[in-house]
Amino acid sequence: MSDILAHVEAGVLTLTFNRLDKKNSITAAMYSALGDALATAKDDDEVRAVVFQGHELIFSAGNDLGDFISNPPAGPDSPVWRFLHGISSFPKPVVAAVCGAAVGIGTTLLLHCDLVYAGDNAKFSLPFVNLGLCPEAASSLLLPRLIGHPRAAEALLLGEPFGAEQALEWGLVNRILPPGEVNGFAQAQARKLADKPRASLVETKRFMKAGQAEAVSARMAEEGALFARLLGEPAAREAFTAFMAKRKPDFSKL
Ligand code: COA
């Protein structure tokens, strides 16, 4: 079965992370599938809203660390950056259903969603610095704007995880639900959106995003270039090797 499931029903494209044995970590092939699905959905009149979801125990462990080392993103057309550009500029409403861990891009992609529903077991984390990397998805711009610099510093500099209640208080999520109800609730909200007049939805979303669209795109490109460079440097190699070997990384000489 595919690692990304795509299904259109009642005007809603549902994209499901389906790689549970690897905690829904995302490979280049999965980013390609997501990027392709968004590119098609953008111009498909049958699709009026999109839902991202995982499993009720795990949303996504973020980038597949092994795949990132063996298959690093090479430029703006690489699968991960194409996906991020696709979601950040997607014109129709995007809803996310998040349960369990949402690591790295599992959290940063939420900054580009319009509605986010979380299970009470959701745990968000942005461990880029701990991996010798830098933020992506314009999270270095969007997160401080959303929650303020000191809180963003705990999340991005210390890499401290935070739970559903914190995310709700900070405005990263709309509502907390029991994990078994999250995907269904997100689907119902997306169907409500799909029933609304399309042009009004799309234009309203465009106006809501217009003030920062250029800055987001520019920051994403800057972060992407640095991220790709850092992936090849010793700190990231040590962090990734340590994760695979299930040991603590040693940055004492870096
Ligand atoms: N990339 C590649 N493989 C990953 C992965 C990732 N990001 N996250 C988990 N996996 C794999 C593990 O290597 C393990 O594989 P194995 O069974 O072959 O040993 C399997 O998924 C289960 O992971 P495990 O760590 O045992 O599960 P857990 O329930 O104890 O912890 C997480 C879940 C998500 C908290 C933990 O896996 C984690 O922290 N992952 C790394 C997250 C990360 O740093 N992402 C990158 C962000 S840029």
Side-chain angles (χ1 to χ4, degrees):
M1 198 182 284
S2 172
D3 292 339
I4 296 291
L5 304 179
H7 170 73
V8 180
E9 193 176 336
V12 177
L13 166 66
T14 303
L15 295 168
T16 307
F17 295 116
N18 184 44
R19 193 177 178 233
L20 286 176
D21 58 328
K22 295 291 179 189
K23 301 288 168 183
N24 286 342
S25 54
I26 312 174
T27 60
M30 291 164 74
Y31 285 122
S32 285
L34 293 169
D36 290 348
L38 291 179
T40 305
K42 191 167 158 242
D43 300 318
D44 180 352
D45 289 346
E46 295 297 306
V47 175
R48 301 167 74 102
V50 173
V51 170
F52 279 89
Q53 65 180 23
H55 183 266
E56 68 182 66
L57 293 177
I58 176 89
F59 183 61
S60 171
N63 297 302
D64 181 299
L65 295 174
D67 194 55
F68 242 27
I69 286 285
S70 57
N71 203 4
D77 292 331
S78 57
V80 58
W81 308 135
R82 203 174 134 252
F83 161 65
L84 283 176
H85 179 73
I87 191 171
S88 72
S89 60
F90 196 72
K92 303 171 191 178
V94 180
V95 181
V98 185
C99 295
V103 187
I105 202 164
T107 291
T108 61
L109 78 80
L110 306 175
L111 296 166
H112 301 280
C113 294
D114 302 293
L115 299 169
V116 180
Y117 299 105
D120 55 21
N121 63 346
K123 191 169 170 194
F124 306 86
S125 61
L126 299 160
F128 301 111
V129 165
N130 300 341
L131 293 168
L133 299 172
C134 69
E136 28 82 311
S139 53
S140 64
L141 176 75
L142 294 172
L143 198 67
R145 274 193 187 172
L146 180 66
I147 69 176
H149 185 92
R151 291 157 167 173
E154 284 189 340
L156 284 172
L157 298 182
L158 282 171
E160 286 186 350
F162 51 95
E165 290 291 345
Q166 192 72 91
L168 181 69
E169 190 194 314
W170 287 348
L172 183 68
V173 311
N174 290 81
R175 189 187 288 225
I176 301 174
L177 297 142
E181 294 175 19
V182 179
N183 287 1
F185 189 81
Q187 190 64 222
Q189 295 295 82
R191 288 187 184 193
K192 276 192 218 164
L193 290 164
D195 284 342
K196 296 189 188 294
R198 189 172 34 210
S200 292
L201 270 184
V202 167
E203 292 304 323
T204 301
K205 174 165 175 171
R206 187 174 64 78
F207 280 133
M208 287 168 73
K209 297 252 176 186
Q212 58 182 18
E214 270 179 37
V216 165
S217 169
R219 180 62 61 88
M220 226 183 286
E222 278 178 76
E223 290 173 344
L226 180 61
F227 193 104
R229 180 161 72 68
L230 291 175
L231 268 176
E233 299 210 346
R237 297 209 164 248
E238 166 58 12
F240 287 27
T241 309
F243 176 74
M244 297 303 174
K246 301 188 190 294
R247 65 166 170 82
K248 222 169 158 288
D250 175 6
F251 298 122
S252 59
K253 298 196 176 56
L254 298 169

